[in-house]
Amino acid sequence: GLRTFHTITSAWAALDAPAGAAAPAPLDIAARGNGLAWTSADGGVHFAEVQGGKHLLGWLDWSVIVVYLIGMIGIGVYFYLKDQTASESEFFVGGRSIPFWAAGISLYATNTSSISFIAIPAKAYETNWQYLTNNLVAVLGLMFVAVWIVPLLRRLDLMSVFSYLETRFHPAIRMLASALAIAMQIGSRLSVILFLPALAIATITGIDVVWSILIMGVFTIIYTVMGGMRAVVWTDFVQVFVKMGGAIFAIGFIVWTLGADFDGIREAAMAEHKTKLLDFSFDLTKATVWGFIFLVVFDVVLTFPKDQVLMQRTLATKSDKEAGRSIWIFAAIMIPGGFIFYSIGTALWMYYKHNPGRLDPLLPIDATFPLFIAAELPPGVTGLIIAGIFAAAMSTLSSIINSVATLLSVDFYDKLAKNPSERGSVRFAEIMTVVVGLAGMGLALVLSRYDIHSLFDVSIELAGLLGGGFAGAYTLGMFTRRANSPGVAIGIAGSIALTLLAWSFKLVHPYFYLGISILLCIVIGYLASLCFPAPARSLKGLTIYRQDAT
């Protein structure tokens, strides 16, 4: 009989005999689409193709999903009824009264998007745990952020992180940086985070991509516009437990299902190095410790100050000390959270190694976890974990939508409107919350008509090409006294131009553009600053140096 061989699990699975299998013995066999074509001695031509299936959700699964969605709306309604005359401080930074532990959990929820919930288990299933090194190294980077960067920005009483660039340098630098950040968040992150989980769920369950996008988008917009930052943080808090609870259950279910065979399969996983973590080689083409150190320095430490989505949570805490503590909570959750998601991937490998016939060979790697959720878990639990995928998406979506609305209101409406009132600013932000959410949904629906992979790669490249310079501006502002407005402007322009040149010649992998751009901005900006007079304004509280803070 026909059998399939799976290259990741190295397991054979028998296929049902296709129609025509009783025909005379095949003479010539060739691959055709998702199957085979062969000729027989009687001159006949025969075809056989592997078919994939859908796993429709039952009423219990839908009930769990509906209860979750109603709960999210309930949180928004609660905060709306609690304070219907929200001030700017209430709407944008939760009245600066968010407990540090809730802010820290919200940081983790925002940072762990639906892409992570689906792609990380797939990565561990396909390879090993080497990418988990990023979490371990990132914790060291977050320690630096907690001690030096967050307290500095927190004591400036900001709502938009880009206000710092105006205070330290010039209003034009602030507005340009904010505009680029808004474009990047809507154009790449918001649309992709909506579309990818919708595609994965549709592939397995038959729920249309459009409906998944509409469910996630509409419900997120409703509770975000009603409750502002408070609703965003507290829904994040609930969503962490929904998605982590579902993830832990999935691991436990696999271990229980394998039963007496678990030890043997676990030894096979160890022999295949499925849990290999650290690679100290100097190969730039692999996921090595050195590569992750380089990426964390630029992706976490130097870009954190310009990330409104993450910084807004620390700005919403009660004090500088609590802002720093929220980062410590974020760091403390990151390592065990990473182990859970990578363990799912290894557990999936063990399960399909033992049950190769349960795997759909037509599905892409990223659909492996959604396939397991839909096909193997008991009714109700399937609904819970799909709610977890929704939760992973919605926690990031609400954070992005609220942050972009904040930037549009604080950096543009308050600056450009004539005599803006505080209530008018909040009303504008509420309108922008709806507009931004609808824009993200619209782009996600457009993506459903095109190839997502190329656009996802382009979004990574754009983040490095256009976003690195402003991270360099923060570095120059916080860590040097000599940097000045014209020098930083030259540094930003020079870094973007040279990084675009490197991109046009394809000199390095796209993941390195961000680091290169930041380095160029720092070097060019500092050298250019030496050609102009030192800043005459007071730098009190704007740098890490204590004498400037007194």
Side-chain angles (χ1 to χ4, degrees):
L2 291 173
R3 295 193 299 165
T4 60
F5 178 76
H6 200 261
T7 56
I8 294 176
T9 60
S10 300
W12 290 93
L15 291 176
D16 295 333
L27 297 179
D28 296 309
I29 301 177
R32 179 181 183 270
N34 293 320
L36 298 172
W38 67 90
T39 58
S40 57
D42 62 0
V45 179
H46 307 272
F47 305 99
E49 189 170 59
V50 178
Q51 299 290 334
K54 299 286 186 184
H55 305 275
L56 301 180
L57 301 182
W59 67 269
L60 189 56
D61 297 316
W62 278 112
S63 299
V64 172
I65 292 170
V66 168
V67 167
Y68 158 73
L69 293 172
I70 291 173
M72 296 302 98
I73 295 294
I75 293 174
V77 171
Y78 171 78
F79 286 110
Y80 177 74
L81 296 176
K82 188 177 180 181
D83 189 0
Q84 297 187 39
T85 56
S87 64
E88 279 188 303
S89 176
E90 288 286 337
F91 191 83
F92 298 141
V93 288
R96 301 197 195 277
S97 62
I98 303 295
F100 72 90
W101 48 269
I105 292 173
S106 178
L107 279 166
Y108 178 75
T110 301
N111 198 58
T112 311
S113 70
S114 52
I115 300 171
S116 306
F117 199 86
I118 293 169
I120 287 178
K123 193 70 178 176
Y125 165 76
E126 182 182 13
T127 57
N128 51 37
W129 290 11
Q130 280 179 235
Y131 282 83
L132 181 56
T133 309
N134 185 59
N135 290 45
L136 305 180
V137 179
V139 167
L140 299 176
L142 288 173
M143 290 178 184
F144 182 88
V145 169
V147 172
W148 294 103
I149 292 175
V150 166
L152 189 157
L153 290 174
R154 177 62 180 75
R155 64 176 174 256
L156 295 176
D157 210 31
L158 309 175
M159 290 187 194
S160 160
V161 291
F162 298 106
S163 301
Y164 173 83
L165 294 179
E166 175 176 356
T167 307
R168 178 67 175 84
F169 296 117
H170 193 275
I173 293 177
R174 168 191 181 171
M175 296 186 77
L176 184 56
S178 183
L180 278 172
I182 290 167
M184 289 300 304
Q185 293 289 357
I186 297 174
S188 60
R189 290 191 69 194
L190 199 59
S191 54
V192 172
I193 287 166
L194 260 173
F195 173 67
L196 284 184
L199 180 64
I201 292 171
T203 303
I204 305 302
T205 65
I207 301 175
D208 192 85
V209 171
V210 172
W211 277 110
S212 285
I213 290 171
L214 291 175
I215 289 170
M216 289 185 287
V218 169
F219 278 87
T220 304
I221 289 171
I222 291 172
Y223 74 72
T224 304
V225 77
M226 292 182 77
M229 175 54 89
R230 289 182 190 274
V232 170
V233 169
W234 290 109
T235 50
D236 281 354
F237 183 81
V238 173
Q239 287 159 346
V240 163
F241 289 96
V242 171
K243 62 188 175 188
M244 298 309 288
I248 292 169
F249 182 92
I251 297 170
F253 182 83
I254 290 175
V255 173
W256 175 79
T257 303
L258 293 176
D261 297 310
F262 175 74
D263 287 338
I265 300 295
R266 180 180 57 80
E267 289 174 6
M270 298 297 288
E272 294 281 339
H273 306 291
K274 298 300 291 184
T275 56
K276 180 182 178 182
L277 184 58
L278 302 175
D279 183 350
F280 288 97
S281 68
F282 288 93
D283 188 344
L284 293 178
T285 64
K286 294 182 180 178
T288 67
V289 171
W290 314 113
F292 284 121
I293 290 173
F294 176 83
L295 288 175
V296 164
V297 167
F298 293 103
D299 251 354
V300 176
V301 175
L302 297 183
T303 59
F304 202 98
K306 78 175 186 69
D307 194 329
Q308 175 74 16
V309 176
L310 296 178
M311 278 300 304
Q312 201 162 333
R313 275 130 196 78
T314 66
L315 299 174
T317 55
K318 298 176 183 177
S319 65
D320 301 353
K321 182 178 286 187
E322 293 226 338
R325 285 176 177 173
S326 69
I327 302 295
W328 288 106
I329 294 292
F330 176 26
I333 302 173
M334 182 175 280
I335 292 178
F339 273 106
I340 288 171
F341 285 117
Y342 280 87
S343 294
I344 291 173
T346 304
L348 288 171
W349 184 89
M350 295 166 71
Y351 181 83
Y352 288 117
K353 174 81 172 177
H354 191 256
N355 302 283
R358 303 292 295 168
L359 192 61
D360 186 341
L362 298 184
L363 290 177
I365 296 295
D366 281 346
T368 306
F369 189 34
L371 168 68
F372 176 82
I373 293 167
E376 310 300 339
L377 294 177
V381 178
T382 297
L384 173 67
I385 302 187
I386 287 180
I389 294 176
F390 282 156
M394 292 166 71
S395 60
T396 308
L397 291 173
S398 62
S399 301
I400 293 173
I401 292 170
N402 181 260
S403 296
V404 170
T406 299
L407 294 178
L408 287 167
S409 182
V410 175
D411 289 340
F412 292 93
Y413 179 82
D414 288 356
K415 284 282 185 184
L416 303 177
K418 293 181 178 179
N419 302 317
S421 66
E422 187 168 22
R423 183 60 200 155
S425 183
V426 173
R427 179 62 64 194
F428 178 80
E430 291 172 343
I431 295 169
M432 287 300 102
T433 298
V434 177
V435 171
V436 169
L438 292 176
M441 289 169 60
L443 286 171
L445 292 172
V446 170
L447 293 186
S448 67
R449 307 295 178 191
Y450 297 96
D451 177 18
I452 180 61
H453 298 291
S454 59
L455 190 72
F456 190 55
D457 290 339
V458 168
S459 70
I460 293 170
E461 293 181 25
L462 285 174
L465 294 172
L466 302 179
F470 291 101
Y474 277 95
T475 306
L476 286 168
M478 291 180 176
F479 295 95
T480 76
R481 297 191 187 96
R482 188 64 180 79
N484 50 44
S485 302
V488 167
I490 293 170
I492 292 170
S495 68
I496 292 175
L498 290 174
T499 309
L500 284 170
L501 189 64
W503 170 75
S504 65
F505 286 102
K506 301 188 185 316
L507 297 180
V508 294
H509 191 279
Y511 284 98
F512 286 99
Y513 292 144
L514 184 66
I516 290 171
S517 183
I518 294 173
L519 270 178
L520 287 170
C521 180
I522 293 170
V523 173
I524 296 171
Y526 190 80
L527 293 176
S529 293
L530 298 178
C531 301
F532 300 93
R537 73 183 75 177
S538 169
L539 299 182
K540 181 180 179 181
L542 298 177
T543 73
I544 64 167
Y545 302 106
R546 292 188 180 277
Q547 52 266 52
D548 292 335
T550 55

